[in-house]
Structures are given as structure tokens and as C-alpha cells.
Amino acid sequence: MDLTTVAAITPARTRDDLAALSATVVPLAGGSELYADPRIHLTGLVDLHTMGWPALTVTPDGLEIAATCTLAELSRMPAEPGWVAHPIFHLACTALFGSFKIWNVATVGGNLCTSLPAGPMICLTAALDARVLIWRADGTDEWLPAVDFVTGNTTNVLAPGDVLRSIHVPAAALTARAGYRKIALSPLGRSGAVLIGRLDTDGAFVLTVTGGTVRPVQLRYPELPDPATLAADIARLDGWFTDAHGAADWRRAVSGLLGEEIRQELAEPAAPTGAPAAPQDGTRA
Ligand SMILES: Cc1cc2nc3c(=O)[nH]c(=O)nc-3n(C[C@H](O)[C@H](O)[C@H](O)COP(=O)(O)OP(=O)(O)OC[C@H]3O[C@@H](n4cnc5c(N)ncnc54)[C@H](O)[C@@H]3O)c2cc1C
């Protein structure tokens, strides 16, 4: 869709160029969401791709994902030694049912900033205990846990002029085992629930519940909980919502089932080193 009120698209090459951002001049990443609806309040866009941020950088501390990294780039990232959680990157991308055209333009940052409950990059980054780096409009930097970035259905912590710069996944989370489940009302429909469980090398278990709740919510345990405890804790979560992609009570119920499936998957012994188990697809419709 043409954005008929946009008079200029400015390529950003330095952080100073981002000073052009405002309530009516917003960042352009892949454009797959921005160009999906009329946005008559907009007068301009600032293109982030021209910043030239490297999409994926392996660091001694883990993995840095540029906000402009596309889903296609993330999904085909090669594994590093010891990255047991690696299959979860591709699996989470599959929760966005766009064609290859969408995967090649939609960015990790754009998905977080769109802040739909079904945002698979929201689930992925929260599940891996990632932290996000925000470039505030006043020139300061702010670090936040990824799980706190989205505040509600299409709302987040950004103010006009702010930019999500990058997402940082700690090395420890990359060595964990991870289980993924997603369900939608129709085979090509938007996710009704997306859950990722992470079993750390010290036995701690984290379940991240998204899609069914307006913002990501997490359950943390020092070890894998028993089925009854997990079911009760999921049922007690709040934030379930109803829209065209599922009713709140259905989302709560299927999240309980999918959470238990993840618990059972991670309760199984790990595959021997060097022979990772085939990742479970985890998609339902
Ligand atoms: C066919 C199709 C299927 C889709 N399926 C799903 C789905 O299953 N789940 C889901 O969550 N979404 C889905 N979407 C919407 C999806 O969120 C976006 O398409 C995609 O993730 C947006 O990324 P983008 O890079 O194209 O962002 P853009 O469209 O460029 O930007 C989206 C918004 O984020 C802002 N923005 C982008 N990057 C930054 C940044 N670094 N800092 C600050 N603000 C920024 C933009 O100003 C804009 O407001 C789908 C879209 C399509 C077209």
C-alpha cells in the first residue's frame, strides 16, 4: 500500500541522522508492516538499513542481533559449537507465516516494534533472556530485558524518536535445550499461542508464553516442574485476550497443553553430544 502522506524517505547513515525521527517521521525497517495499512499521520520515514549494521555478530558473551537482521538471515544462521538452542532460531521464524518475500524483508527489530502478541521474535528473544539496546531520542542508551520491551497489544517501551538498535542473547542461553510450540486456528493463520521452554545446563526451566497473552509472560523454576504445578501456573497467568485469531479461554487452554508438551520434551534425556535430536516442528493448526 502506498503511504500517500509520506513526502520523504531519508537514508540514515549515522546516529545523528536519526534526529529526524518524530511522531510523524518513523523508522523504516523491512516495511512489511509499515506499508500494510494506511498511516495518514506519517510525513516521512527514516531508512535504518543504510546504517549498515552487521546482521549477526558472535561475541564472547553470546550473540548480537542487529534490529535490521531479517528473519531469513536469522533462520539460516549457522550454529556455533555448543549452541544446543540453535534450532529454536529457525523454528521461531516459522511462526511468522509470510512467504519468502516477507522473510527476506521483515526484520527482528520490526517484529519486536510492531509488538503484536503473535510476534515470534518477541517470544524468541524473551525466551533466551536476551537484552535489548534502545537508542533513546535524547542520545542516551538504555538496556532492557527483552521480555519487558512489549507492554501490551501493539504497545512497547519506545517513545517517538527512539530506535531499537540490537538484541543481545547471552551465551548461557545458547547452550540450553529449548522446546517450541505454536498453534493457530488455520494452517496459514496468525498464531493463537507461541510458547518456548528453555532448560538450562544447571537444570533451571523457563517457559515463555506469548501469542495468547497481550504481552510475553514467563514462568521460572529451579528445575522442571511436575505437570500439575506447570498446568496450574499457566492457568493462573493473566493477559489472555480474544480476537479473530482465537478466544481468550481457548488460548489459555491450548497454552496449558503446549506448555506440558514442552515440559515432556525437555524431560527426555538430551541427545548425545555431536548428534543433536531433530528439532520438533511444533506447529499446529
Ligand atoms: C504476510 C504477513 C504475515 C505476517 N505474520 C505475522 C505474524 O505471524 N506474527 C507477527 O507478529 N507479525 C506478522 N506480520 C507483521 C509483522 O510483524 C511484520 O511484517 C514484520 O515483523 C515487521 O518487520 P519489518 O522489518 O517489515 O518492520 P516495518 O514494517 O519496517 O516496521 C514496523 C514498525 O516498527 C517500527 N520499527 C521498525 N524497526 C524499528 C526499530 N529498529 N526501532 C524502532 N522502530 C522500528 C516502524 O517504524 C513501524 O512502526 C506479518 C506480516 C505480513 C505481511
Side-chain angles (χ1 to χ4, degrees):
M1 169 171 299
D2 289 340
L3 296 177
T4 53
T5 53
V6 169
I9 300 180
T10 310
R13 302 196 192 281
T14 67
R15 187 165 177 176
D16 288 346
D17 294 336
L18 303 177
L21 294 169
S22 67
T24 61
V25 179
V26 300
L28 168 65
S32 62
E33 173 64 19
L34 211 41
Y35 285 93
D37 286 311
R39 299 180 200 279
I40 56 171
H41 67 290
L42 293 184
T43 58
L45 304 175
V46 174
D47 190 349
L48 298 182
H49 282 293
T50 40
M51 293 293 288
W53 297 327
L56 296 159
T57 308
V58 179
T59 70
D61 300 332
L63 174 69
E64 176 182 331
I65 306 170
T68 45
C69 173
T70 64
L71 266 65
E73 288 171 317
L74 186 69
S75 71
R76 59 176 181 246
M77 172 184 61
E80 294 287 317
W83 282 13
V84 180
H86 177 261
I88 211 70
F89 288 97
H90 172 77
L91 287 173
C93 291
T94 66
L96 195 149
F97 267 132
S99 66
F100 71 93
K101 289 180 284 187
I102 301 299
W103 270 39
N104 277 296
V105 295
T107 63
V108 176
N111 192 253
L112 279 151
C113 295
T114 299
S115 302
L116 291 170
M121 299 300 102
I122 299 166
C123 190
L124 174 73
T125 55
L128 294 175
D129 280 351
R131 295 195 313 146
V132 298
L133 172 59
I134 297 169
W135 280 0
R136 292 291 185 190
D138 64 5
T140 58
D141 292 353
E142 187 173 339
W143 290 89
L144 277 181
V147 69
D148 294 333
F149 181 80
V150 173
T151 54
N153 192 341
T154 69
T155 60
N156 58 51
V157 299
L158 296 183
D162 294 344
V163 169
L164 174 61
R165 165 64 183 87
S166 50
I167 300 101
H168 298 249
V169 182
L174 293 164
T175 63
R177 292 173 62 203
Y180 156 89
R181 293 292 186 281
K182 167 239 162 102
I183 193 166
L185 284 177
S186 64
L188 297 180
R190 184 180 291 171
S191 309
V194 185
L195 287 82
I196 295 178
R198 200 185 84 227
L199 186 64
D200 289 339
T201 51
D202 66 359
F205 175 66
V206 185
L207 183 69
T208 303
V209 179
T210 64
T213 52
V214 290
R215 59 183 303 277
V217 284
Q218 284 184 321
L219 296 168
R220 289 180 180 268
Y221 305 88
E223 60 191 19
L224 273 175
D226 61 70
T229 301
L230 184 63
D233 290 347
I234 293 173
R236 261 197 296 272
L237 295 175
D238 56 18
W240 307 104
F241 73 108
T242 295
D243 70 0
H245 307 287
D249 58 351
W250 172 78
R251 289 178 138 125
R252 183 199 299 258
V254 294
S255 295
L257 292 173
L258 300 179
E260 172 56 16
E261 285 188 9
I262 291 173
R263 194 198 65 79
Q264 287 180 18
E265 179 185 326
L266 295 178
E268 293 293 318
T273 309
Q280 297 206 14
D281 176 285
T283 294
R284 298 276 184 70

PDB file of all heavy atoms in Angstrom, residues 91-129:
ATOM      1  N   LEU A  91      13.011 -22.321  14.054  1.00  0.00           N
ATOM      2  CA  LEU A  91      11.638 -22.694  14.426  1.00  0.00           C
ATOM      3  C   LEU A  91      10.807 -21.449  14.754  1.00  0.00           C
ATOM      4  O   LEU A  91       9.651 -21.336  14.331  1.00  0.00           O
ATOM      5  CB  LEU A  91      11.660 -23.648  15.622  1.00  0.00           C
ATOM      6  CG  LEU A  91      12.130 -25.066  15.322  1.00  0.00           C
ATOM      7  CD1 LEU A  91      12.278 -25.862  16.610  1.00  0.00           C
ATOM      8  CD2 LEU A  91      11.155 -25.764  14.380  1.00  0.00           C
ATOM      9  N   ALA A  92      11.380 -20.523  15.487  1.00  0.00           N
ATOM     10  CA  ALA A  92      10.623 -19.316  15.848  1.00  0.00           C
ATOM     11  C   ALA A  92      10.272 -18.513  14.596  1.00  0.00           C
ATOM     12  O   ALA A  92       9.173 -17.944  14.504  1.00  0.00           O
ATOM     13  CB  ALA A  92      11.419 -18.464  16.835  1.00  0.00           C
ATOM     14  N   CYS A  93      11.183 -18.478  13.624  1.00  0.00           N
ATOM     15  CA  CYS A  93      10.874 -17.745  12.383  1.00  0.00           C
ATOM     16  C   CYS A  93       9.674 -18.375  11.667  1.00  0.00           C
ATOM     17  O   CYS A  93       8.885 -17.668  11.034  1.00  0.00           O
ATOM     18  CB  CYS A  93      12.091 -17.728  11.458  1.00  0.00           C
ATOM     19  SG  CYS A  93      13.445 -16.717  12.077  1.00  0.00           S
ATOM     20  N   THR A  94       9.536 -19.694  11.774  1.00  0.00           N
ATOM     21  CA  THR A  94       8.425 -20.349  11.069  1.00  0.00           C
ATOM     22  C   THR A  94       7.067 -19.949  11.643  1.00  0.00           C
ATOM     23  O   THR A  94       6.043 -20.181  11.007  1.00  0.00           O
ATOM     24  CB  THR A  94       8.540 -21.891  11.096  1.00  0.00           C
ATOM     25  OG1 THR A  94       8.388 -22.351  12.445  1.00  0.00           O
ATOM     26  CG2 THR A  94       9.857 -22.370  10.517  1.00  0.00           C
ATOM     27  N   ALA A  95       7.047 -19.359  12.824  1.00  0.00           N
ATOM     28  CA  ALA A  95       5.775 -18.913  13.398  1.00  0.00           C
ATOM     29  C   ALA A  95       5.244 -17.687  12.669  1.00  0.00           C
ATOM     30  O   ALA A  95       4.085 -17.318  12.850  1.00  0.00           O
ATOM     31  CB  ALA A  95       5.932 -18.614  14.887  1.00  0.00           C
ATOM     32  N   LEU A  96       6.081 -17.046  11.871  1.00  0.00           N
ATOM     33  CA  LEU A  96       5.588 -15.927  11.047  1.00  0.00           C
ATOM     34  C   LEU A  96       5.299 -16.504   9.663  1.00  0.00           C
ATOM     35  O   LEU A  96       6.218 -16.797   8.894  1.00  0.00           O
ATOM     36  CB  LEU A  96       6.607 -14.798  10.967  1.00  0.00           C
ATOM     37  CG  LEU A  96       6.026 -13.473  10.448  1.00  0.00           C
ATOM     38  CD1 LEU A  96       6.742 -12.282  11.066  1.00  0.00           C
ATOM     39  CD2 LEU A  96       6.073 -13.362   8.937  1.00  0.00           C
ATOM     40  N   PHE A  97       4.026 -16.698   9.388  1.00  0.00           N
ATOM     41  CA  PHE A  97       3.615 -17.362   8.152  1.00  0.00           C
ATOM     42  C   PHE A  97       3.598 -16.386   6.987  1.00  0.00           C
ATOM     43  O   PHE A  97       2.572 -16.150   6.371  1.00  0.00           O
ATOM     44  CB  PHE A  97       2.239 -18.009   8.329  1.00  0.00           C
ATOM     45  CG  PHE A  97       2.331 -19.439   8.758  1.00  0.00           C
ATOM     46  CD1 PHE A  97       1.572 -19.907   9.815  1.00  0.00           C
ATOM     47  CD2 PHE A  97       3.175 -20.325   8.108  1.00  0.00           C
ATOM     48  CE1 PHE A  97       1.664 -21.222  10.213  1.00  0.00           C
ATOM     49  CE2 PHE A  97       3.270 -21.639   8.504  1.00  0.00           C
ATOM     50  CZ  PHE A  97       2.511 -22.092   9.565  1.00  0.00           C
ATOM     51  N   GLY A  98       4.730 -15.758   6.701  1.00  0.00           N
ATOM     52  CA  GLY A  98       4.843 -14.955   5.495  1.00  0.00           C
ATOM     53  C   GLY A  98       5.558 -15.784   4.446  1.00  0.00           C
ATOM     54  O   GLY A  98       6.206 -16.778   4.757  1.00  0.00           O
ATOM     55  N   SER A  99       5.469 -15.363   3.213  1.00  0.00           N
ATOM     56  CA  SER A  99       6.188 -16.041   2.144  1.00  0.00           C
ATOM     57  C   SER A  99       7.678 -15.715   2.255  1.00  0.00           C
ATOM     58  O   SER A  99       8.090 -14.911   3.092  1.00  0.00           O
ATOM     59  CB  SER A  99       5.678 -15.553   0.789  1.00  0.00           C
ATOM     60  OG  SER A  99       6.025 -14.187   0.650  1.00  0.00           O
ATOM     61  N   PHE A 100       8.488 -16.295   1.352  1.00  0.00           N
ATOM     62  CA  PHE A 100       9.922 -15.969   1.356  1.00  0.00           C
ATOM     63  C   PHE A 100      10.135 -14.475   1.143  1.00  0.00           C
ATOM     64  O   PHE A 100      11.108 -13.894   1.604  1.00  0.00           O
ATOM     65  CB  PHE A 100      10.656 -16.789   0.278  1.00  0.00           C
ATOM     66  CG  PHE A 100      10.349 -16.372  -1.132  1.00  0.00           C
ATOM     67  CD1 PHE A 100      11.145 -15.443  -1.782  1.00  0.00           C
ATOM     68  CD2 PHE A 100       9.253 -16.888  -1.807  1.00  0.00           C
ATOM     69  CE1 PHE A 100      10.862 -15.049  -3.089  1.00  0.00           C
ATOM     70  CE2 PHE A 100       8.967 -16.485  -3.104  1.00  0.00           C
ATOM     71  CZ  PHE A 100       9.768 -15.564  -3.742  1.00  0.00           C
ATOM     72  N   LYS A 101       9.188 -13.831   0.438  1.00  0.00           N
ATOM     73  CA  LYS A 101       9.342 -12.394   0.209  1.00  0.00           C
ATOM     74  C   LYS A 101       9.293 -11.638   1.545  1.00  0.00           C
ATOM     75  O   LYS A 101      10.059 -10.712   1.769  1.00  0.00           O
ATOM     76  CB  LYS A 101       8.227 -11.882  -0.724  1.00  0.00           C
ATOM     77  CG  LYS A 101       8.388 -12.349  -2.157  1.00  0.00           C
ATOM     78  CD  LYS A 101       7.283 -11.819  -3.049  1.00  0.00           C
ATOM     79  CE  LYS A 101       5.994 -12.576  -2.835  1.00  0.00           C
ATOM     80  NZ  LYS A 101       4.936 -12.207  -3.792  1.00  0.00           N
ATOM     81  N   ILE A 102       8.363 -12.040   2.411  1.00  0.00           N
ATOM     82  CA  ILE A 102       8.262 -11.385   3.719  1.00  0.00           C
ATOM     83  C   ILE A 102       9.476 -11.732   4.572  1.00  0.00           C
ATOM     84  O   ILE A 102      10.087 -10.863   5.206  1.00  0.00           O
ATOM     85  CB  ILE A 102       6.956 -11.790   4.433  1.00  0.00           C
ATOM     86  CG1 ILE A 102       5.729 -11.405   3.590  1.00  0.00           C
ATOM     87  CG2 ILE A 102       6.890 -11.164   5.823  1.00  0.00           C
ATOM     88  CD1 ILE A 102       5.591  -9.933   3.330  1.00  0.00           C
ATOM     89  N   TRP A 103       9.861 -13.012   4.600  1.00  0.00           N
ATOM     90  CA  TRP A 103      11.016 -13.416   5.408  1.00  0.00           C
ATOM     91  C   TRP A 103      12.275 -12.649   5.002  1.00  0.00           C
ATOM     92  O   TRP A 103      13.153 -12.417   5.820  1.00  0.00           O
ATOM     93  CB  TRP A 103      11.272 -14.915   5.218  1.00  0.00           C
ATOM     94  CG  TRP A 103      10.542 -15.791   6.188  1.00  0.00           C
ATOM     95  CD1 TRP A 103       9.277 -15.630   6.661  1.00  0.00           C
ATOM     96  CD2 TRP A 103      11.061 -16.974   6.819  1.00  0.00           C
ATOM     97  NE1 TRP A 103       8.961 -16.641   7.521  1.00  0.00           N
ATOM     98  CE2 TRP A 103      10.044 -17.480   7.640  1.00  0.00           C
ATOM     99  CE3 TRP A 103      12.276 -17.643   6.748  1.00  0.00           C
ATOM    100  CZ2 TRP A 103      10.205 -18.634   8.398  1.00  0.00           C
ATOM    101  CZ3 TRP A 103      12.436 -18.802   7.503  1.00  0.00           C
ATOM    102  CH2 TRP A 103      11.406 -19.288   8.324  1.00  0.00           C
ATOM    103  N   ASN A 104      12.370 -12.265   3.725  1.00  0.00           N
ATOM    104  CA  ASN A 104      13.580 -11.581   3.252  1.00  0.00           C
ATOM    105  C   ASN A 104      13.574 -10.089   3.528  1.00  0.00           C
ATOM    106  O   ASN A 104      14.595  -9.432   3.332  1.00  0.00           O
ATOM    107  CB  ASN A 104      13.802 -11.855   1.760  1.00  0.00           C
ATOM    108  CG  ASN A 104      14.513 -13.174   1.550  1.00  0.00           C
ATOM    109  OD1 ASN A 104      15.667 -13.339   1.959  1.00  0.00           O
ATOM    110  ND2 ASN A 104      13.846 -14.149   0.971  1.00  0.00           N
ATOM    111  N   VAL A 105      12.456  -9.544   3.953  1.00  0.00           N
ATOM    112  CA  VAL A 105      12.458  -8.114   4.299  1.00  0.00           C
ATOM    113  C   VAL A 105      12.135  -7.869   5.780  1.00  0.00           C
ATOM    114  O   VAL A 105      12.690  -6.956   6.397  1.00  0.00           O
ATOM    115  CB  VAL A 105      11.484  -7.282   3.422  1.00  0.00           C
ATOM    116  CG1 VAL A 105      11.918  -7.282   1.973  1.00  0.00           C
ATOM    117  CG2 VAL A 105      10.042  -7.725   3.583  1.00  0.00           C
ATOM    118  N   ALA A 106      11.238  -8.673   6.359  1.00  0.00           N
ATOM    119  CA  ALA A 106      10.819  -8.435   7.751  1.00  0.00           C
ATOM    120  C   ALA A 106      12.024  -8.607   8.672  1.00  0.00           C
ATOM    121  O   ALA A 106      12.784  -9.567   8.555  1.00  0.00           O
ATOM    122  CB  ALA A 106       9.712  -9.405   8.134  1.00  0.00           C
ATOM    123  N   THR A 107      12.185  -7.682   9.579  1.00  0.00           N
ATOM    124  CA  THR A 107      13.353  -7.696  10.462  1.00  0.00           C
ATOM    125  C   THR A 107      12.967  -8.124  11.886  1.00  0.00           C
ATOM    126  O   THR A 107      11.802  -8.016  12.295  1.00  0.00           O
ATOM    127  CB  THR A 107      13.987  -6.299  10.517  1.00  0.00           C
ATOM    128  OG1 THR A 107      13.038  -5.390  11.096  1.00  0.00           O
ATOM    129  CG2 THR A 107      14.402  -5.815   9.129  1.00  0.00           C
ATOM    130  N   VAL A 108      13.998  -8.546  12.600  1.00  0.00           N
ATOM    131  CA  VAL A 108      13.784  -8.925  14.003  1.00  0.00           C
ATOM    132  C   VAL A 108      13.295  -7.698  14.782  1.00  0.00           C
ATOM    133  O   VAL A 108      12.324  -7.763  15.542  1.00  0.00           O
ATOM    134  CB  VAL A 108      15.087  -9.489  14.604  1.00  0.00           C
ATOM    135  CG1 VAL A 108      14.901  -9.798  16.085  1.00  0.00           C
ATOM    136  CG2 VAL A 108      15.541 -10.726  13.831  1.00  0.00           C
ATOM    137  N   GLY A 109      13.957  -6.560  14.544  1.00  0.00           N
ATOM    138  CA  GLY A 109      13.552  -5.337  15.241  1.00  0.00           C
ATOM    139  C   GLY A 109      12.155  -4.892  14.852  1.00  0.00           C
ATOM    140  O   GLY A 109      11.377  -4.462  15.704  1.00  0.00           O
ATOM    141  N   GLY A 110      11.831  -5.015  13.572  1.00  0.00           N
ATOM    142  CA  GLY A 110      10.494  -4.626  13.123  1.00  0.00           C
ATOM    143  C   GLY A 110       9.417  -5.477  13.766  1.00  0.00           C
ATOM    144  O   GLY A 110       8.333  -4.991  14.101  1.00  0.00           O
ATOM    145  N   ASN A 111       9.728  -6.738  13.970  1.00  0.00           N
ATOM    146  CA  ASN A 111       8.751  -7.620  14.619  1.00  0.00           C
ATOM    147  C   ASN A 111       8.558  -7.230  16.085  1.00  0.00           C
ATOM    148  O   ASN A 111       7.428  -7.170  16.580  1.00  0.00           O
ATOM    149  CB  ASN A 111       9.189  -9.080  14.493  1.00  0.00           C
ATOM    150  CG  ASN A 111       8.081 -10.048  14.874  1.00  0.00           C
ATOM    151  OD1 ASN A 111       8.140 -10.674  15.923  1.00  0.00           O
ATOM    152  ND2 ASN A 111       7.053 -10.146  14.040  1.00  0.00           N
ATOM    153  N   LEU A 112       9.652  -6.953  16.767  1.00  0.00           N
ATOM    154  CA  LEU A 112       9.533  -6.517  18.167  1.00  0.00           C
ATOM    155  C   LEU A 112       8.768  -5.192  18.250  1.00  0.00           C
ATOM    156  O   LEU A 112       7.898  -5.016  19.100  1.00  0.00           O
ATOM    157  CB  LEU A 112      10.921  -6.353  18.780  1.00  0.00           C
ATOM    158  CG  LEU A 112      11.591  -7.648  19.259  1.00  0.00           C
ATOM    159  CD1 LEU A 112      13.096  -7.548  19.190  1.00  0.00           C
ATOM    160  CD2 LEU A 112      11.169  -7.958  20.685  1.00  0.00           C
ATOM    161  N   CYS A 113       9.095  -4.256  17.359  1.00  0.00           N
ATOM    162  CA  CYS A 113       8.499  -2.913  17.438  1.00  0.00           C
ATOM    163  C   CYS A 113       7.035  -2.908  17.006  1.00  0.00           C
ATOM    164  O   CYS A 113       6.261  -2.071  17.461  1.00  0.00           O
ATOM    165  CB  CYS A 113       9.313  -1.923  16.614  1.00  0.00           C
ATOM    166  SG  CYS A 113      10.973  -1.678  17.268  1.00  0.00           S
ATOM    167  N   THR A 114       6.657  -3.831  16.124  1.00  0.00           N
ATOM    168  CA  THR A 114       5.234  -3.945  15.776  1.00  0.00           C
ATOM    169  C   THR A 114       4.445  -4.398  17.008  1.00  0.00           C
ATOM    170  O   THR A 114       3.301  -4.011  17.221  1.00  0.00           O
ATOM    171  CB  THR A 114       5.057  -4.919  14.598  1.00  0.00           C
ATOM    172  OG1 THR A 114       5.780  -4.405  13.471  1.00  0.00           O
ATOM    173  CG2 THR A 114       3.597  -5.081  14.214  1.00  0.00           C
ATOM    174  N   SER A 115       5.068  -5.236  17.822  1.00  0.00           N
ATOM    175  CA  SER A 115       4.552  -5.610  19.148  1.00  0.00           C
ATOM    176  C   SER A 115       3.185  -6.283  19.121  1.00  0.00           C
ATOM    177  O   SER A 115       2.352  -6.065  20.013  1.00  0.00           O
ATOM    178  CB  SER A 115       4.526  -4.389  20.088  1.00  0.00           C
ATOM    179  OG  SER A 115       5.815  -3.843  20.215  1.00  0.00           O
ATOM    180  N   LEU A 116       2.956  -7.092  18.068  1.00  0.00           N
ATOM    181  CA  LEU A 116       1.753  -7.929  18.075  1.00  0.00           C
ATOM    182  C   LEU A 116       1.944  -9.041  19.102  1.00  0.00           C
ATOM    183  O   LEU A 116       3.062  -9.540  19.274  1.00  0.00           O
ATOM    184  CB  LEU A 116       1.547  -8.558  16.689  1.00  0.00           C
ATOM    185  CG  LEU A 116       1.168  -7.614  15.552  1.00  0.00           C
ATOM    186  CD1 LEU A 116       1.242  -8.347  14.215  1.00  0.00           C
ATOM    187  CD2 LEU A 116      -0.235  -7.080  15.783  1.00  0.00           C
ATOM    188  N   PRO A 117       0.866  -9.475  19.746  1.00  0.00           N
ATOM    189  CA  PRO A 117       1.016 -10.602  20.675  1.00  0.00           C
ATOM    190  C   PRO A 117       1.644 -11.815  19.991  1.00  0.00           C
ATOM    191  O   PRO A 117       2.358 -12.585  20.631  1.00  0.00           O
ATOM    192  CB  PRO A 117      -0.426 -10.879  21.114  1.00  0.00           C
ATOM    193  CG  PRO A 117      -1.124  -9.576  20.946  1.00  0.00           C
ATOM    194  CD  PRO A 117      -0.504  -8.932  19.737  1.00  0.00           C
ATOM    195  N   ALA A 118       1.372 -11.978  18.685  1.00  0.00           N
ATOM    196  CA  ALA A 118       1.869 -13.145  17.955  1.00  0.00           C
ATOM    197  C   ALA A 118       3.293 -12.973  17.452  1.00  0.00           C
ATOM    198  O   ALA A 118       3.780 -13.806  16.695  1.00  0.00           O
ATOM    199  CB  ALA A 118       0.953 -13.434  16.766  1.00  0.00           C
ATOM    200  N   GLY A 119       3.971 -11.938  17.857  1.00  0.00           N
ATOM    201  CA  GLY A 119       5.315 -11.682  17.346  1.00  0.00           C
ATOM    202  C   GLY A 119       6.307 -12.774  17.736  1.00  0.00           C
ATOM    203  O   GLY A 119       6.706 -12.859  18.905  1.00  0.00           O
ATOM    204  N   PRO A 120       6.748 -13.598  16.783  1.00  0.00           N
ATOM    205  CA  PRO A 120       7.615 -14.717  17.168  1.00  0.00           C
ATOM    206  C   PRO A 120       8.992 -14.281  17.646  1.00  0.00           C
ATOM    207  O   PRO A 120       9.627 -14.964  18.440  1.00  0.00           O
ATOM    208  CB  PRO A 120       7.723 -15.544  15.873  1.00  0.00           C
ATOM    209  CG  PRO A 120       7.369 -14.611  14.769  1.00  0.00           C
ATOM    210  CD  PRO A 120       6.431 -13.603  15.352  1.00  0.00           C
ATOM    211  N   MET A 121       9.467 -13.104  17.174  1.00  0.00           N
ATOM    212  CA  MET A 121      10.773 -12.631  17.641  1.00  0.00           C
ATOM    213  C   MET A 121      10.681 -12.119  19.082  1.00  0.00           C
ATOM    214  O   MET A 121      11.672 -12.086  19.805  1.00  0.00           O
ATOM    215  CB  MET A 121      11.305 -11.533  16.708  1.00  0.00           C
ATOM    216  CG  MET A 121      11.523 -11.993  15.274  1.00  0.00           C
ATOM    217  SD  MET A 121      12.739 -13.355  15.163  1.00  0.00           S
ATOM    218  CE  MET A 121      11.682 -14.783  14.944  1.00  0.00           C
ATOM    219  N   ILE A 122       9.468 -11.735  19.472  1.00  0.00           N
ATOM    220  CA  ILE A 122       9.239 -11.322  20.865  1.00  0.00           C
ATOM    221  C   ILE A 122       9.390 -12.541  21.767  1.00  0.00           C
ATOM    222  O   ILE A 122      10.062 -12.513  22.797  1.00  0.00           O
ATOM    223  CB  ILE A 122       7.839 -10.694  21.004  1.00  0.00           C
ATOM    224  CG1 ILE A 122       7.727  -9.446  20.121  1.00  0.00           C
ATOM    225  CG2 ILE A 122       7.523 -10.381  22.456  1.00  0.00           C
ATOM    226  CD1 ILE A 122       6.310  -8.943  19.926  1.00  0.00           C
ATOM    227  N   CYS A 123       8.768 -13.651  21.333  1.00  0.00           N
ATOM    228  CA  CYS A 123       8.855 -14.888  22.114  1.00  0.00           C
ATOM    229  C   CYS A 123      10.299 -15.386  22.159  1.00  0.00           C
ATOM    230  O   CYS A 123      10.828 -15.733  23.221  1.00  0.00           O
ATOM    231  CB  CYS A 123       7.937 -15.942  21.501  1.00  0.00           C
ATOM    232  SG  CYS A 123       7.763 -17.406  22.542  1.00  0.00           S
ATOM    233  N   LEU A 124      10.943 -15.406  20.996  1.00  0.00           N
ATOM    234  CA  LEU A 124      12.305 -15.944  20.902  1.00  0.00           C
ATOM    235  C   LEU A 124      13.273 -15.174  21.804  1.00  0.00           C
ATOM    236  O   LEU A 124      14.028 -15.766  22.580  1.00  0.00           O
ATOM    237  CB  LEU A 124      12.779 -15.861  19.445  1.00  0.00           C
ATOM    238  CG  LEU A 124      14.231 -16.256  19.204  1.00  0.00           C
ATOM    239  CD1 LEU A 124      14.401 -17.759  19.339  1.00  0.00           C
ATOM    240  CD2 LEU A 124      14.700 -15.796  17.821  1.00  0.00           C
ATOM    241  N   THR A 125      13.261 -13.849  21.675  1.00  0.00           N
ATOM    242  CA  THR A 125      14.247 -13.060  22.420  1.00  0.00           C
ATOM    243  C   THR A 125      13.962 -13.091  23.925  1.00  0.00           C
ATOM    244  O   THR A 125      14.890 -13.145  24.730  1.00  0.00           O
ATOM    245  CB  THR A 125      14.289 -11.612  21.892  1.00  0.00           C
ATOM    246  OG1 THR A 125      12.972 -11.043  21.943  1.00  0.00           O
ATOM    247  CG2 THR A 125      14.807 -11.572  20.460  1.00  0.00           C
ATOM    248  N   ALA A 126      12.686 -13.104  24.290  1.00  0.00           N
ATOM    249  CA  ALA A 126      12.360 -13.210  25.714  1.00  0.00           C
ATOM    250  C   ALA A 126      12.792 -14.579  26.250  1.00  0.00           C
ATOM    251  O   ALA A 126      13.377 -14.679  27.329  1.00  0.00           O
ATOM    252  CB  ALA A 126      10.859 -13.001  25.928  1.00  0.00           C
ATOM    253  N   ALA A 127      12.515 -15.620  25.456  1.00  0.00           N
ATOM    254  CA  ALA A 127      12.806 -16.987  25.912  1.00  0.00           C
ATOM    255  C   ALA A 127      14.296 -17.204  26.136  1.00  0.00           C
ATOM    256  O   ALA A 127      14.689 -18.024  26.969  1.00  0.00           O
ATOM    257  CB  ALA A 127      12.287 -17.991  24.892  1.00  0.00           C
ATOM    258  N   LEU A 128      15.127 -16.478  25.379  1.00  0.00           N
ATOM    259  CA  LEU A 128      16.579 -16.649  25.508  1.00  0.00           C
ATOM    260  C   LEU A 128      17.181 -15.622  26.466  1.00  0.00           C
ATOM    261  O   LEU A 128      18.404 -15.429  26.501  1.00  0.00           O
ATOM    262  CB  LEU A 128      17.241 -16.564  24.126  1.00  0.00           C
ATOM    263  CG  LEU A 128      16.867 -17.706  23.164  1.00  0.00           C
ATOM    264  CD1 LEU A 128      17.475 -17.481  21.786  1.00  0.00           C
ATOM    265  CD2 LEU A 128      17.309 -19.063  23.727  1.00  0.00           C
ATOM    266  N   ASP A 129      16.331 -14.982  27.262  1.00  0.00           N
ATOM    267  CA  ASP A 129      16.802 -13.980  28.241  1.00  0.00           C
ATOM    268  C   ASP A 129      17.665 -12.909  27.586  1.00  0.00           C
ATOM    269  O   ASP A 129      18.648 -12.429  28.180  1.00  0.00           O
ATOM    270  CB  ASP A 129      17.583 -14.650  29.388  1.00  0.00           C
ATOM    271  CG  ASP A 129      16.645 -15.253  30.422  1.00  0.00           C
ATOM    272  OD1 ASP A 129      15.423 -15.010  30.335  1.00  0.00           O
ATOM    273  OD2 ASP A 129      17.138 -15.969  31.305  1.00  0.00           O
TER     274      ASP A 129
END
